[in-house]
PDB file of all heavy atoms in Angstrom:
ATOM      1  N   GLN A   1     -43.958  19.500 133.843  1.00  0.00           N
ATOM      2  CA  GLN A   1     -44.661  18.729 134.874  1.00  0.00           C
ATOM      3  C   GLN A   1     -45.604  19.630 135.670  1.00  0.00           C
ATOM      4  O   GLN A   1     -45.224  20.715 136.099  1.00  0.00           O
ATOM      5  CB  GLN A   1     -43.650  18.083 135.814  1.00  0.00           C
ATOM      6  CG  GLN A   1     -44.261  17.349 136.998  1.00  0.00           C
ATOM      7  CD  GLN A   1     -43.199  16.775 137.918  1.00  0.00           C
ATOM      8  OE1 GLN A   1     -42.232  16.168 137.469  1.00  0.00           O
ATOM      9  NE2 GLN A   1     -43.361  16.977 139.212  1.00  0.00           N
ATOM     10  N   VAL A   2     -46.831  19.156 135.846  1.00  0.00           N
ATOM     11  CA  VAL A   2     -47.782  19.804 136.747  1.00  0.00           C
ATOM     12  C   VAL A   2     -47.870  18.928 137.981  1.00  0.00           C
ATOM     13  O   VAL A   2     -48.287  17.770 137.906  1.00  0.00           O
ATOM     14  CB  VAL A   2     -49.174  19.950 136.098  1.00  0.00           C
ATOM     15  CG1 VAL A   2     -50.173  20.535 137.102  1.00  0.00           C
ATOM     16  CG2 VAL A   2     -49.092  20.826 134.853  1.00  0.00           C
ATOM     17  N   GLY A   3     -47.443  19.453 139.124  1.00  0.00           N
ATOM     18  CA  GLY A   3     -47.375  18.663 140.347  1.00  0.00           C
ATOM     19  C   GLY A   3     -48.734  18.420 140.973  1.00  0.00           C
ATOM     20  O   GLY A   3     -49.753  19.005 140.573  1.00  0.00           O
ATOM     21  N   ALA A   4     -48.736  17.552 141.971  1.00  0.00           N
ATOM     22  CA  ALA A   4     -49.986  17.164 142.632  1.00  0.00           C
ATOM     23  C   ALA A   4     -50.727  18.365 143.201  1.00  0.00           C
ATOM     24  O   ALA A   4     -51.958  18.435 143.139  1.00  0.00           O
ATOM     25  CB  ALA A   4     -49.679  16.160 143.746  1.00  0.00           C
ATOM     26  N   ARG A   5     -49.990  19.330 143.743  1.00  0.00           N
ATOM     27  CA  ARG A   5     -50.631  20.495 144.355  1.00  0.00           C
ATOM     28  C   ARG A   5     -51.296  21.394 143.315  1.00  0.00           C
ATOM     29  O   ARG A   5     -52.169  22.196 143.649  1.00  0.00           O
ATOM     30  CB  ARG A   5     -49.600  21.299 145.154  1.00  0.00           C
ATOM     31  CG  ARG A   5     -49.020  20.568 146.357  1.00  0.00           C
ATOM     32  CD  ARG A   5     -47.870  21.377 146.952  1.00  0.00           C
ATOM     33  NE  ARG A   5     -47.300  20.767 148.138  1.00  0.00           N
ATOM     34  CZ  ARG A   5     -46.369  19.818 148.126  1.00  0.00           C
ATOM     35  NH1 ARG A   5     -45.928  19.355 146.959  1.00  0.00           N
ATOM     36  NH2 ARG A   5     -45.878  19.332 149.250  1.00  0.00           N
ATOM     37  N   ASN A   6     -50.868  21.296 142.078  1.00  0.00           N
ATOM     38  CA  ASN A   6     -51.411  22.160 141.018  1.00  0.00           C
ATOM     39  C   ASN A   6     -52.337  21.426 140.060  1.00  0.00           C
ATOM     40  O   ASN A   6     -52.728  21.981 139.040  1.00  0.00           O
ATOM     41  CB  ASN A   6     -50.267  22.798 140.224  1.00  0.00           C
ATOM     42  CG  ASN A   6     -49.763  24.077 140.885  1.00  0.00           C
ATOM     43  OD1 ASN A   6     -50.547  24.917 141.308  1.00  0.00           O
ATOM     44  ND2 ASN A   6     -48.457  24.209 140.982  1.00  0.00           N
ATOM     45  N   MET A   7     -52.693  20.190 140.399  1.00  0.00           N
ATOM     46  CA  MET A   7     -53.531  19.422 139.477  1.00  0.00           C
ATOM     47  C   MET A   7     -54.841  20.123 139.165  1.00  0.00           C
ATOM     48  O   MET A   7     -55.385  20.000 138.062  1.00  0.00           O
ATOM     49  CB  MET A   7     -53.819  18.035 140.060  1.00  0.00           C
ATOM     50  CG  MET A   7     -54.431  17.049 139.067  1.00  0.00           C
ATOM     51  SD  MET A   7     -55.431  15.744 139.825  1.00  0.00           S
ATOM     52  CE  MET A   7     -57.027  16.565 139.976  1.00  0.00           C
ATOM     53  N   GLN A   8     -55.362  20.886 140.105  1.00  0.00           N
ATOM     54  CA  GLN A   8     -56.605  21.620 139.878  1.00  0.00           C
ATOM     55  C   GLN A   8     -56.395  23.136 139.866  1.00  0.00           C
ATOM     56  O   GLN A   8     -57.308  23.902 140.165  1.00  0.00           O
ATOM     57  CB  GLN A   8     -57.654  21.222 140.910  1.00  0.00           C
ATOM     58  CG  GLN A   8     -58.158  19.792 140.713  1.00  0.00           C
ATOM     59  CD  GLN A   8     -59.293  19.422 141.639  1.00  0.00           C
ATOM     60  OE1 GLN A   8     -59.192  19.596 142.852  1.00  0.00           O
ATOM     61  NE2 GLN A   8     -60.373  18.895 141.075  1.00  0.00           N
ATOM     62  N   ASN A   9     -55.192  23.541 139.473  1.00  0.00           N
ATOM     63  CA  ASN A   9     -54.928  24.954 139.216  1.00  0.00           C
ATOM     64  C   ASN A   9     -55.405  25.221 137.787  1.00  0.00           C
ATOM     65  O   ASN A   9     -54.642  25.161 136.825  1.00  0.00           O
ATOM     66  CB  ASN A   9     -53.435  25.250 139.361  1.00  0.00           C
ATOM     67  CG  ASN A   9     -53.092  26.712 139.163  1.00  0.00           C
ATOM     68  OD1 ASN A   9     -53.862  27.480 138.585  1.00  0.00           O
ATOM     69  ND2 ASN A   9     -51.916  27.101 139.626  1.00  0.00           N
ATOM     70  N   PHE A  10     -56.675  25.497 137.637  1.00  0.00           N
ATOM     71  CA  PHE A  10     -57.296  25.488 136.319  1.00  0.00           C
ATOM     72  C   PHE A  10     -56.778  26.586 135.396  1.00  0.00           C
ATOM     73  O   PHE A  10     -56.714  26.397 134.178  1.00  0.00           O
ATOM     74  CB  PHE A  10     -58.821  25.567 136.465  1.00  0.00           C
ATOM     75  CG  PHE A  10     -59.401  24.396 137.214  1.00  0.00           C
ATOM     76  CD1 PHE A  10     -60.142  24.574 138.362  1.00  0.00           C
ATOM     77  CD2 PHE A  10     -59.170  23.097 136.782  1.00  0.00           C
ATOM     78  CE1 PHE A  10     -60.664  23.487 139.062  1.00  0.00           C
ATOM     79  CE2 PHE A  10     -59.679  22.005 137.469  1.00  0.00           C
ATOM     80  CZ  PHE A  10     -60.427  22.206 138.614  1.00  0.00           C
ATOM     81  N   GLU A  11     -56.396  27.728 135.947  1.00  0.00           N
ATOM     82  CA  GLU A  11     -55.839  28.784 135.097  1.00  0.00           C
ATOM     83  C   GLU A  11     -54.493  28.345 134.520  1.00  0.00           C
ATOM     84  O   GLU A  11     -54.189  28.632 133.352  1.00  0.00           O
ATOM     85  CB  GLU A  11     -55.691  30.083 135.893  1.00  0.00           C
ATOM     86  CG  GLU A  11     -57.013  30.702 136.320  1.00  0.00           C
ATOM     87  CD  GLU A  11     -57.954  30.936 135.139  1.00  0.00           C
ATOM     88  OE1 GLU A  11     -57.488  31.480 134.112  1.00  0.00           O
ATOM     89  OE2 GLU A  11     -59.141  30.572 135.237  1.00  0.00           O
ATOM     90  N   LEU A  12     -53.698  27.638 135.335  1.00  0.00           N
ATOM     91  CA  LEU A  12     -52.430  27.107 134.829  1.00  0.00           C
ATOM     92  C   LEU A  12     -52.695  26.064 133.755  1.00  0.00           C
ATOM     93  O   LEU A  12     -52.042  26.048 132.697  1.00  0.00           O
ATOM     94  CB  LEU A  12     -51.619  26.498 135.973  1.00  0.00           C
ATOM     95  CG  LEU A  12     -50.328  25.766 135.592  1.00  0.00           C
ATOM     96  CD1 LEU A  12     -49.359  26.698 134.889  1.00  0.00           C
ATOM     97  CD2 LEU A  12     -49.675  25.149 136.823  1.00  0.00           C
ATOM     98  N   LEU A  13     -53.652  25.168 133.980  1.00  0.00           N
ATOM     99  CA  LEU A  13     -53.977  24.127 133.009  1.00  0.00           C
ATOM    100  C   LEU A  13     -54.451  24.737 131.689  1.00  0.00           C
ATOM    101  O   LEU A  13     -54.079  24.275 130.604  1.00  0.00           O
ATOM    102  CB  LEU A  13     -55.049  23.190 133.565  1.00  0.00           C
ATOM    103  CG  LEU A  13     -54.698  22.438 134.854  1.00  0.00           C
ATOM    104  CD1 LEU A  13     -55.860  21.557 135.284  1.00  0.00           C
ATOM    105  CD2 LEU A  13     -53.433  21.608 134.691  1.00  0.00           C
ATOM    106  N   LYS A  14     -55.271  25.781 131.767  1.00  0.00           N
ATOM    107  CA  LYS A  14     -55.747  26.456 130.553  1.00  0.00           C
ATOM    108  C   LYS A  14     -54.567  27.031 129.767  1.00  0.00           C
ATOM    109  O   LYS A  14     -54.505  26.904 128.538  1.00  0.00           O
ATOM    110  CB  LYS A  14     -56.725  27.575 130.908  1.00  0.00           C
ATOM    111  CG  LYS A  14     -58.074  27.115 131.417  1.00  0.00           C
ATOM    112  CD  LYS A  14     -58.913  28.330 131.798  1.00  0.00           C
ATOM    113  CE  LYS A  14     -60.223  27.953 132.458  1.00  0.00           C
ATOM    114  NZ  LYS A  14     -60.992  29.148 132.883  1.00  0.00           N
ATOM    115  N   ALA A  15     -53.635  27.665 130.482  1.00  0.00           N
ATOM    116  CA  ALA A  15     -52.473  28.258 129.820  1.00  0.00           C
ATOM    117  C   ALA A  15     -51.617  27.187 129.161  1.00  0.00           C
ATOM    118  O   ALA A  15     -51.130  27.365 128.032  1.00  0.00           O
ATOM    119  CB  ALA A  15     -51.652  29.054 130.832  1.00  0.00           C
ATOM    120  N   LEU A  16     -51.432  26.054 129.824  1.00  0.00           N
ATOM    121  CA  LEU A  16     -50.633  24.966 129.247  1.00  0.00           C
ATOM    122  C   LEU A  16     -51.332  24.339 128.049  1.00  0.00           C
ATOM    123  O   LEU A  16     -50.683  23.751 127.180  1.00  0.00           O
ATOM    124  CB  LEU A  16     -50.353  23.901 130.321  1.00  0.00           C
ATOM    125  CG  LEU A  16     -49.454  24.356 131.474  1.00  0.00           C
ATOM    126  CD1 LEU A  16     -49.367  23.270 132.538  1.00  0.00           C
ATOM    127  CD2 LEU A  16     -48.067  24.716 130.965  1.00  0.00           C
ATOM    128  N   GLY A  17     -52.653  24.466 128.006  1.00  0.00           N
ATOM    129  CA  GLY A  17     -53.395  23.962 126.847  1.00  0.00           C
ATOM    130  C   GLY A  17     -53.065  24.685 125.563  1.00  0.00           C
ATOM    131  O   GLY A  17     -53.298  24.156 124.476  1.00  0.00           O
ATOM    132  N   HIS A  18     -52.509  25.877 125.681  1.00  0.00           N
ATOM    133  CA  HIS A  18     -52.149  26.662 124.496  1.00  0.00           C
ATOM    134  C   HIS A  18     -50.680  26.529 124.134  1.00  0.00           C
ATOM    135  O   HIS A  18     -50.215  27.185 123.201  1.00  0.00           O
ATOM    136  CB  HIS A  18     -52.508  28.136 124.713  1.00  0.00           C
ATOM    137  CG  HIS A  18     -53.975  28.375 124.931  1.00  0.00           C
ATOM    138  ND1 HIS A  18     -54.928  28.101 123.961  1.00  0.00           N
ATOM    139  CD2 HIS A  18     -54.655  28.839 126.011  1.00  0.00           C
ATOM    140  CE1 HIS A  18     -56.129  28.400 124.424  1.00  0.00           C
ATOM    141  NE2 HIS A  18     -55.993  28.834 125.668  1.00  0.00           N
ATOM    142  N   THR A  19     -49.942  25.684 124.873  1.00  0.00           N
ATOM    143  CA  THR A  19     -48.539  25.449 124.532  1.00  0.00           C
ATOM    144  C   THR A  19     -48.427  24.235 123.621  1.00  0.00           C
ATOM    145  O   THR A  19     -49.390  23.501 123.417  1.00  0.00           O
ATOM    146  CB  THR A  19     -47.696  25.189 125.804  1.00  0.00           C
ATOM    147  OG1 THR A  19     -48.059  23.915 126.360  1.00  0.00           O
ATOM    148  CG2 THR A  19     -47.914  26.285 126.835  1.00  0.00           C
ATOM    149  N   LYS A  20     -47.237  24.018 123.089  1.00  0.00           N
ATOM    150  CA  LYS A  20     -46.977  22.852 122.254  1.00  0.00           C
ATOM    151  C   LYS A  20     -46.039  21.871 122.963  1.00  0.00           C
ATOM    152  O   LYS A  20     -45.388  21.054 122.322  1.00  0.00           O
ATOM    153  CB  LYS A  20     -46.382  23.296 120.916  1.00  0.00           C
ATOM    154  CG  LYS A  20     -47.352  24.127 120.078  1.00  0.00           C
ATOM    155  CD  LYS A  20     -46.757  24.502 118.725  1.00  0.00           C
ATOM    156  CE  LYS A  20     -47.754  25.311 117.915  1.00  0.00           C
ATOM    157  NZ  LYS A  20     -47.198  25.715 116.589  1.00  0.00           N
ATOM    158  N   LYS A  21     -45.991  21.975 124.278  1.00  0.00           N
ATOM    159  CA  LYS A  21     -45.144  21.102 125.083  1.00  0.00           C
ATOM    160  C   LYS A  21     -45.925  19.890 125.569  1.00  0.00           C
ATOM    161  O   LYS A  21     -47.128  19.961 125.824  1.00  0.00           O
ATOM    162  CB  LYS A  21     -44.630  21.862 126.315  1.00  0.00           C
ATOM    163  CG  LYS A  21     -43.819  23.104 126.010  1.00  0.00           C
ATOM    164  CD  LYS A  21     -42.402  22.751 125.618  1.00  0.00           C
ATOM    165  CE  LYS A  21     -41.554  24.007 125.514  1.00  0.00           C
ATOM    166  NZ  LYS A  21     -40.157  23.695 125.133  1.00  0.00           N
ATOM    167  N   THR A  22     -45.222  18.765 125.736  1.00  0.00           N
ATOM    168  CA  THR A  22     -45.827  17.624 126.412  1.00  0.00           C
ATOM    169  C   THR A  22     -46.005  17.979 127.886  1.00  0.00           C
ATOM    170  O   THR A  22     -45.119  18.564 128.509  1.00  0.00           O
ATOM    171  CB  THR A  22     -44.937  16.382 126.277  1.00  0.00           C
ATOM    172  OG1 THR A  22     -44.865  16.004 124.904  1.00  0.00           O
ATOM    173  CG2 THR A  22     -45.505  15.215 127.079  1.00  0.00           C
ATOM    174  N   ILE A  23     -47.160  17.620 128.441  1.00  0.00           N
ATOM    175  CA  ILE A  23     -47.456  17.911 129.842  1.00  0.00           C
ATOM    176  C   ILE A  23     -47.507  16.608 130.630  1.00  0.00           C
ATOM    177  O   ILE A  23     -48.198  15.669 130.240  1.00  0.00           O
ATOM    178  CB  ILE A  23     -48.810  18.647 129.992  1.00  0.00           C
ATOM    179  CG1 ILE A  23     -48.876  19.861 129.063  1.00  0.00           C
ATOM    180  CG2 ILE A  23     -49.040  19.032 131.458  1.00  0.00           C
ATOM    181  CD1 ILE A  23     -47.806  20.907 129.303  1.00  0.00           C
ATOM    182  N   LEU A  24     -46.766  16.546 131.734  1.00  0.00           N
ATOM    183  CA  LEU A  24     -46.829  15.414 132.646  1.00  0.00           C
ATOM    184  C   LEU A  24     -47.712  15.851 133.807  1.00  0.00           C
ATOM    185  O   LEU A  24     -47.327  16.706 134.607  1.00  0.00           O
ATOM    186  CB  LEU A  24     -45.432  15.018 133.123  1.00  0.00           C
ATOM    187  CG  LEU A  24     -45.311  13.661 133.827  1.00  0.00           C
ATOM    188  CD1 LEU A  24     -43.878  13.141 133.737  1.00  0.00           C
ATOM    189  CD2 LEU A  24     -45.714  13.751 135.288  1.00  0.00           C
ATOM    190  N   LEU A  25     -48.900  15.275 133.896  1.00  0.00           N
ATOM    191  CA  LEU A  25     -49.904  15.694 134.868  1.00  0.00           C
ATOM    192  C   LEU A  25     -49.992  14.693 136.013  1.00  0.00           C
ATOM    193  O   LEU A  25     -50.372  13.538 135.819  1.00  0.00           O
ATOM    194  CB  LEU A  25     -51.265  15.820 134.177  1.00  0.00           C
ATOM    195  CG  LEU A  25     -52.452  16.248 135.045  1.00  0.00           C
ATOM    196  CD1 LEU A  25     -52.241  17.649 135.614  1.00  0.00           C
ATOM    197  CD2 LEU A  25     -53.736  16.192 134.226  1.00  0.00           C
ATOM    198  N   LYS A  26     -49.635  15.151 137.221  1.00  0.00           N
ATOM    199  CA  LYS A  26     -49.670  14.271 138.385  1.00  0.00           C
ATOM    200  C   LYS A  26     -51.032  14.314 139.070  1.00  0.00           C
ATOM    201  O   LYS A  26     -51.675  15.373 139.150  1.00  0.00           O
ATOM    202  CB  LYS A  26     -48.583  14.676 139.387  1.00  0.00           C
ATOM    203  CG  LYS A  26     -47.177  14.253 138.973  1.00  0.00           C
ATOM    204  CD  LYS A  26     -46.227  14.358 140.152  1.00  0.00           C
ATOM    205  CE  LYS A  26     -44.945  13.592 139.898  1.00  0.00           C
ATOM    206  NZ  LYS A  26     -44.088  13.540 141.087  1.00  0.00           N
ATOM    207  N   ARG A  27     -51.436  13.163 139.579  1.00  0.00           N
ATOM    208  CA  ARG A  27     -52.682  13.083 140.340  1.00  0.00           C
ATOM    209  C   ARG A  27     -52.523  13.786 141.689  1.00  0.00           C
ATOM    210  O   ARG A  27     -51.490  13.685 142.338  1.00  0.00           O
ATOM    211  CB  ARG A  27     -53.037  11.611 140.567  1.00  0.00           C
ATOM    212  CG  ARG A  27     -54.348  11.369 141.303  1.00  0.00           C
ATOM    213  CD  ARG A  27     -54.533   9.882 141.527  1.00  0.00           C
ATOM    214  NE  ARG A  27     -55.775   9.573 142.224  1.00  0.00           N
ATOM    215  CZ  ARG A  27     -56.129   8.348 142.587  1.00  0.00           C
ATOM    216  NH1 ARG A  27     -55.330   7.323 142.311  1.00  0.00           N
ATOM    217  NH2 ARG A  27     -57.271   8.131 143.219  1.00  0.00           N
ATOM    218  N   GLY A  28     -53.560  14.507 142.104  1.00  0.00           N
ATOM    219  CA  GLY A  28     -53.524  15.208 143.370  1.00  0.00           C
ATOM    220  C   GLY A  28     -53.557  14.272 144.561  1.00  0.00           C
ATOM    221  O   GLY A  28     -53.891  13.090 144.450  1.00  0.00           O
ATOM    222  N   LEU A  29     -53.230  14.810 145.724  1.00  0.00           N
ATOM    223  CA  LEU A  29     -53.127  14.015 146.947  1.00  0.00           C
ATOM    224  C   LEU A  29     -54.438  13.338 147.328  1.00  0.00           C
ATOM    225  O   LEU A  29     -54.438  12.263 147.929  1.00  0.00           O
ATOM    226  CB  LEU A  29     -52.694  14.910 148.110  1.00  0.00           C
ATOM    227  CG  LEU A  29     -51.278  15.493 148.058  1.00  0.00           C
ATOM    228  CD1 LEU A  29     -51.095  16.487 149.187  1.00  0.00           C
ATOM    229  CD2 LEU A  29     -50.252  14.390 148.166  1.00  0.00           C
ATOM    230  N   ALA A  30     -55.564  13.964 146.991  1.00  0.00           N
ATOM    231  CA  ALA A  30     -56.857  13.423 147.414  1.00  0.00           C
ATOM    232  C   ALA A  30     -57.874  13.519 146.293  1.00  0.00           C
ATOM    233  O   ALA A  30     -59.049  13.819 146.517  1.00  0.00           O
ATOM    234  CB  ALA A  30     -57.356  14.164 148.657  1.00  0.00           C
ATOM    235  N   ASN A  31     -57.419  13.258 145.066  1.00  0.00           N
ATOM    236  CA  ASN A  31     -58.294  13.389 143.906  1.00  0.00           C
ATOM    237  C   ASN A  31     -58.656  12.041 143.303  1.00  0.00           C
ATOM    238  O   ASN A  31     -57.855  11.108 143.306  1.00  0.00           O
ATOM    239  CB  ASN A  31     -57.639  14.261 142.836  1.00  0.00           C
ATOM    240  CG  ASN A  31     -57.594  15.721 143.239  1.00  0.00           C
ATOM    241  OD1 ASN A  31     -56.547  16.236 143.605  1.00  0.00           O
ATOM    242  ND2 ASN A  31     -58.733  16.390 143.185  1.00  0.00           N
ATOM    243  N   THR A  32     -59.850  11.960 142.771  1.00  0.00           N
ATOM    244  CA  THR A  32     -60.309  10.749 142.104  1.00  0.00           C
ATOM    245  C   THR A  32     -59.702  10.670 140.707  1.00  0.00           C
ATOM    246  O   THR A  32     -59.172  11.655 140.175  1.00  0.00           O
ATOM    247  CB  THR A  32     -61.840  10.746 141.986  1.00  0.00           C
ATOM    248  OG1 THR A  32     -62.238  11.821 141.113  1.00  0.00           O
ATOM    249  CG2 THR A  32     -62.500  10.916 143.351  1.00  0.00           C
ATOM    250  N   LEU A  33     -59.825   9.498 140.101  1.00  0.00           N
ATOM    251  CA  LEU A  33     -59.323   9.323 138.739  1.00  0.00           C
ATOM    252  C   LEU A  33     -60.114  10.187 137.764  1.00  0.00           C
ATOM    253  O   LEU A  33     -59.557  10.730 136.801  1.00  0.00           O
ATOM    254  CB  LEU A  33     -59.405   7.846 138.335  1.00  0.00           C
ATOM    255  CG  LEU A  33     -58.579   6.876 139.183  1.00  0.00           C
ATOM    256  CD1 LEU A  33     -58.696   5.462 138.646  1.00  0.00           C
ATOM    257  CD2 LEU A  33     -57.116   7.295 139.256  1.00  0.00           C
ATOM    258  N   GLU A  34     -61.408  10.316 137.999  1.00  0.00           N
ATOM    259  CA  GLU A  34     -62.211  11.163 137.123  1.00  0.00           C
ATOM    260  C   GLU A  34     -61.775  12.620 137.219  1.00  0.00           C
ATOM    261  O   GLU A  34     -61.705  13.328 136.211  1.00  0.00           O
ATOM    262  CB  GLU A  34     -63.699  11.041 137.456  1.00  0.00           C
ATOM    263  CG  GLU A  34     -64.583  11.854 136.519  1.00  0.00           C
ATOM    264  CD  GLU A  34     -66.062  11.579 136.698  1.00  0.00           C
ATOM    265  OE1 GLU A  34     -66.505  10.444 136.404  1.00  0.00           O
ATOM    266  OE2 GLU A  34     -66.769  12.495 137.157  1.00  0.00           O
ATOM    267  N   GLU A  35     -61.456  13.069 138.419  1.00  0.00           N
ATOM    268  CA  GLU A  35     -60.971  14.445 138.578  1.00  0.00           C
ATOM    269  C   GLU A  35     -59.632  14.634 137.868  1.00  0.00           C
ATOM    270  O   GLU A  35     -59.374  15.706 137.296  1.00  0.00           O
ATOM    271  CB  GLU A  35     -60.853  14.783 140.063  1.00  0.00           C
ATOM    272  CG  GLU A  35     -62.197  14.969 140.748  1.00  0.00           C
ATOM    273  CD  GLU A  35     -62.100  15.054 142.262  1.00  0.00           C
ATOM    274  OE1 GLU A  35     -61.073  14.600 142.831  1.00  0.00           O
ATOM    275  OE2 GLU A  35     -63.050  15.553 142.880  1.00  0.00           O
ATOM    276  N   LEU A  36     -58.780  13.624 137.906  1.00  0.00           N
ATOM    277  CA  LEU A  36     -57.516  13.695 137.170  1.00  0.00           C
ATOM    278  C   LEU A  36     -57.776  13.865 135.684  1.00  0.00           C
ATOM    279  O   LEU A  36     -57.146  14.696 135.017  1.00  0.00           O
ATOM    280  CB  LEU A  36     -56.694  12.426 137.435  1.00  0.00           C
ATOM    281  CG  LEU A  36     -55.416  12.251 136.611  1.00  0.00           C
ATOM    282  CD1 LEU A  36     -54.428  13.374 136.874  1.00  0.00           C
ATOM    283  CD2 LEU A  36     -54.770  10.893 136.921  1.00  0.00           C
ATOM    284  N   LEU A  37     -58.716  13.081 135.149  1.00  0.00           N
ATOM    285  CA  LEU A  37     -59.016  13.179 133.723  1.00  0.00           C
ATOM    286  C   LEU A  37     -59.691  14.500 133.375  1.00  0.00           C
ATOM    287  O   LEU A  37     -59.500  15.024 132.277  1.00  0.00           O
ATOM    288  CB  LEU A  37     -59.889  11.996 133.290  1.00  0.00           C
ATOM    289  CG  LEU A  37     -59.193  10.637 133.334  1.00  0.00           C
ATOM    290  CD1 LEU A  37     -60.136   9.539 132.856  1.00  0.00           C
ATOM    291  CD2 LEU A  37     -57.926  10.642 132.488  1.00  0.00           C
ATOM    292  N   MET A  38     -60.470  15.048 134.293  1.00  0.00           N
ATOM    293  CA  MET A  38     -61.063  16.354 134.041  1.00  0.00           C
ATOM    294  C   MET A  38     -59.984  17.442 133.974  1.00  0.00           C
ATOM    295  O   MET A  38     -60.096  18.400 133.200  1.00  0.00           O
ATOM    296  CB  MET A  38     -62.097  16.688 135.116  1.00  0.00           C
ATOM    297  CG  MET A  38     -63.375  15.867 135.018  1.00  0.00           C
ATOM    298  SD  MET A  38     -64.176  15.978 133.388  1.00  0.00           S
ATOM    299  CE  MET A  38     -64.591  17.718 133.332  1.00  0.00           C
ATOM    300  N   SER A  39     -58.923  17.284 134.769  1.00  0.00           N
ATOM    301  CA  SER A  39     -57.803  18.226 134.688  1.00  0.00           C
ATOM    302  C   SER A  39     -57.088  18.085 133.347  1.00  0.00           C
ATOM    303  O   SER A  39     -56.699  19.086 132.733  1.00  0.00           O
ATOM    304  CB  SER A  39     -56.823  17.994 135.846  1.00  0.00           C
ATOM    305  OG  SER A  39     -57.405  18.364 137.077  1.00  0.00           O
ATOM    306  N   ALA A  40     -56.924  16.844 132.899  1.00  0.00           N
ATOM    307  CA  ALA A  40     -56.346  16.625 131.565  1.00  0.00           C
ATOM    308  C   ALA A  40     -57.238  17.252 130.497  1.00  0.00           C
ATOM    309  O   ALA A  40     -56.753  17.810 129.501  1.00  0.00           O
ATOM    310  CB  ALA A  40     -56.177  15.127 131.308  1.00  0.00           C
TER     311      ALA A  40
END
């Protein structure tokens, strides 16, 4: 799980992109839907 506070922790997201685990990505406290999809 990537919590709301880390939704835009881009270095963490990049690292998780190289794993083979399912990622549960939470929307940030003040983020748009497009920003959520950009994090995905």
